[in-house]
Amino acid sequence: MMTTFRDTVREHAGGLNRLNVYPVPDGDTGTNMSRTLDAVIAEMETADANDLDATCDAISHGSLMGARGNSGVILSQILRGIASTLKQANLKHTAGEHAHHFADALSNASSSAYQAVLKPIEGTILTVVRESAEAAKLASGEGATLLDVVRAARDAGKLALDNTPEQLQVLKDAGVVDAGGAGYLLLLDSALHVVGGEPMPDPELVEPDDNADSVARAASVAHRSTVVDGGIDVSEQRYEVMYFLDLDDSRIEEFKQEWGSIGDSIVVVGGDGLWNCHVHTNDIGAAIEVPLELGGRPKKIRVSDLFEEVAEEHAQREAAIGATSKPTLTSRAGGGLPPVTTAVVAVCNGDGLVELFANLGVQGIVTGGQSLNPSTAELLDTVEHVNAEQVIILPNNKNIIAVAEQVDSLTKKQVIVVKTRTMPEALAALVVYDPEATVTENAAEMTEAADSVASGEVTQAVRDSSSDAGPIAAGDWMGIADGDGIVAVAPSALEASTSLLDQLIGEEGELLTVITGSDAEASVTASIEAWLSDRHADVQVEVHSGGQPLYPYLFGVE
């Protein structure tokens, strides 16, 4: 059942990701569930397949350690609830009571999921799990067979999922059902297939909106404001903080309440002193400090900016390259890398950006950015191969900074991360890069240069929504300012760009860098340049072909 579930979620990940209420091409529920299940199956493969206790332990441990995102964390708690119940049932050796055991497992899964969430919200995966468990319990109490109990659970779960838009207005407005609930329903589909041989549902074709053809290629980027995902009301909190926590079980409720005062979307799962913790907050420092005051120790801390997070495109691109982004090591005269005091490793996506970075002295380039977040291992591999004992890493995306900061502890080289969040910031930093200066000297100069840049980007909406900049219709173009979210909404890329640029340039901007993406049209670019010449004649303009996906225009103002 678990293997079937994992394979099915993989196939349906694109459709699950599209069940999102925010207008940009977004979605990470399917991706997070899929990756959580990958970790579960990997753990199960190390266990004896003929030993149910070992299998259940592997499901529990694999889901706890491998959970990604709030949807993955809640799924892990569901799986842990099922596994612990079936393990206990195995100890009882009660033959012929499989139907009761399965119903009990779903009930425990539901209870565990609700306990993990500080402020449960109905109309989410929590509701779907609960109603499916109640139906299973009722059927088993009436003497139904295992197959009939599984079918009752699946039918009730489907009805509950279909009803989620009636319970949550945000889902109804977007015309979607809860993504987490849809993912959970695939677990029941998998059980029904394994127990009764019933066919699995076909993956839903993911099609672009009729009036937004180009967004089919821009499958995923998140600039969230109000989203309901995985049982939590995600409000205006900007950062997703996740970590494993060593904390005595008796203090976990106190920890959750303290977190409740600084954020939302709080999910805490685990036990026996080890917890997997997830929160959305605007105060990263406080999220990490809370357990310290309770005698706890957070580890493997991951921080993501929810306004920048990319998921579905990440999964698609990662699958396309076999889940191993191969770094590009820039070759120069003599066919090798010249020795330097400090080398630069940069993350970027787009042939034009690769060439531009190489011309500015970057020795190692890792594929990634808005459409793909590389792993620590990929960054480390590149760092080890550059011809220098001191290395600067330019992550160029908020989601990659925390990963990049792990590299220094994993290598004998001295590594400093210059926390660039955008490609324009990276270009500004590289202008002052000195390969013969020390890494410390370079980090100071490059950080100052990057901090002087105001960045923005243009992308397209995939469905109707609203924002501080006004109502958004599917196909509208949006100007997004780094740090401020959506600041412009317009029917064309040109209008969104000029409105965004007016705000970025203001009265003090002197230099504008324009990086065109793979979807940028030459006529639109020319019109932007003409507008700049007329409206901001005193601003120096540099236009570079970046070739990046998702965003036809990236802007940097100094």
Side-chain angles (χ1 to χ4, degrees), residues 136-157:
K137 199 73 173 175
L138 180 62
S140 69
E142 295 175 348
T145 64
L146 174 61
L147 177 58
D148 287 339
V149 168
V150 175
R151 184 178 289 114
R154 199 275 174 191
D155 290 346

Side-chain angles (χ1 to χ4, degrees), residues 43-44 47-59 87 90:
E43 187 83 12
M44 289 174 65
D48 182 356
N50 296 312
D51 185 337
L52 180 61
D53 286 0
T55 296
C56 290
D57 288 342
I59 293 172
K87 180 179 178 179
N90 189 44

Side-chain angles (χ1 to χ4, degrees), residues 172-223:
K172 189 172 186 178
D173 291 344
V176 297
V177 296
D178 178 71
Y184 165 75
L185 197 65
L186 294 175
L187 172 63
L188 301 180
D189 286 323
S190 301
L192 201 54
H193 174 75
V194 171
V195 174
E198 299 197 11
M200 296 296 295
D202 293 327
E204 181 179 347
L205 292 176
V206 178
E207 297 290 347
D209 295 317
D210 293 340
N211 58 343
D213 292 339
S214 65
V215 301
R217 295 186 299 277
S220 167
V221 57
H223 292 271

Side-chain angles (χ1 to χ4, degrees), residues 49-383:
N50 296 312
D51 185 337
L52 180 61
D53 286 0
T55 296
C56 290
D57 288 342
I59 293 172
S60 293
H61 188 259
S63 62
L64 175 65
M65 303 303 292
R68 289 176 177 262
N70 49 16
S71 54
V73 173
I74 291 178
L75 175 62
S76 76
Q77 195 71 344
I78 291 170
L79 297 180
R80 285 164 58 81
I82 292 173
S84 63
T85 303
L86 296 184
K87 180 179 178 179
Q88 186 64 32
N90 189 44
L91 293 174
K92 293 178 181 178
H93 297 290
T94 49
E97 295 200 5
H98 299 140
H100 293 296
H101 294 329
F102 185 81
D104 288 343
L106 291 188
S107 294
N108 194 16
S110 177
S111 298
S112 298
Y114 272 90
Q115 291 170 5
V117 179
L118 183 63
K119 299 177 182 179
I121 292 178
E122 297 302 326
T124 66
I125 183 175
L126 299 178
T127 305
V128 181
V129 177
R130 175 176 53 77
E131 295 195 10
S132 68
E134 290 172 353
K137 199 73 173 175
L138 180 62
S140 69
E142 295 175 348
T145 64
L146 174 61
L147 177 58
D148 287 339
V149 168
V150 175
R151 184 178 289 114
R154 199 275 174 191
D155 290 346
K158 180 62 166 63
L159 183 61
L161 177 65
D162 291 343
N163 195 45
T164 55
E166 301 304 318
Q167 296 174 284
L168 283 174
Q169 188 65 38
V170 66
L171 296 177
K172 189 172 186 178
D173 291 344
V176 297
V177 296
D178 178 71
Y184 165 75
L185 197 65
L186 294 175
L187 172 63
L188 301 180
D189 286 323
S190 301
L192 201 54
H193 174 75
V194 171
V195 174
E198 299 197 11
M200 296 296 295
D202 293 327
E204 181 179 347
L205 292 176
V206 178
E207 297 290 347
D209 295 317
D210 293 340
N211 58 343
D213 292 339
S214 65
V215 301
R217 295 186 299 277
S220 167
V221 57
H223 292 271
R224 302 186 193 179
S225 56
T226 303
V227 178
V228 174
D229 177 24
I232 303 116
D233 181 13
V234 184
S235 60
E236 297 293 337
Q237 309 292 348
R238 175 150 195 171
Y239 299 102
E240 178 184 61
V241 179
M242 292 187 67
Y243 52 68
F244 291 103
L245 175 62
D246 292 328
L247 181 65
D248 187 89
D249 292 9
S250 64
R251 309 211 69 175
I252 201 64
E253 288 302 321
E254 186 179 355
F255 164 72
K256 289 164 66 175
Q257 292 300 323
E258 289 291 331
W259 254 16
S261 67
I262 63 166
D264 56 29
S265 185
I266 294 166
V267 186
V268 179
V269 303
D272 298 325
L274 178 61
W275 303 86
N276 191 333
C277 308
H278 172 285
V279 65
H280 289 176
T281 182
N282 287 322
D283 192 341
I284 299 171
I288 297 172
E289 291 169 1
V290 164
L292 300 177
E293 299 172 356
L294 300 175
R297 184 170 67 89
K299 55 189 178 183
K300 296 185 179 180
I301 300 168
R302 301 197 300 269
V303 179
S304 298
D305 188 317
L306 296 175
F307 294 176
E308 293 287 343
E309 188 180 27
V310 177
E312 183 180 352
E313 178 74 6
H314 183 160
Q316 292 176 342
R317 291 179 177 274
E318 186 175 61
I321 60 177
T324 53
S325 298
K326 298 298 182 182
T328 297
L329 297 178
T330 306
S331 178
R332 295 182 176 82
L337 295 168
V340 293
T341 301
T342 301
V344 174
V345 169
V347 179
C348 72
N349 194 1
D351 292 341
L353 282 168
V354 170
E355 182 178 357
L356 185 59
F357 279 8
N359 289 337
L360 289 170
V362 174
Q363 283 204 349
I365 294 173
V366 179
T367 301
Q370 299 282 23
S371 58
L372 174 64
N373 295 165
S375 67
T376 302
E378 292 160 358
L379 291 169
L380 175 62
D381 182 61
T382 311
V383 166

Side-chain angles (χ1 to χ4, degrees), residues 507-526:
E507 297 181 358
E508 299 181 358
E510 298 177 352
L511 172 64
L512 169 65
T513 300
V514 180
I515 304 173
T516 61
S518 57
D519 293 331
E521 298 179 6
S523 60
V524 175
T525 304

Side-chain angles (χ1 to χ4, degrees), residues 1-9 186 189-190 193-194 200:
M1 183 182 75
M2 290 303 306
T3 303
T4 301
F5 183 34
R6 187 275 309 271
D7 294 345
T8 303
V9 170
L186 294 175
D189 286 323
S190 301
H193 174 75
V194 171
M200 296 296 295

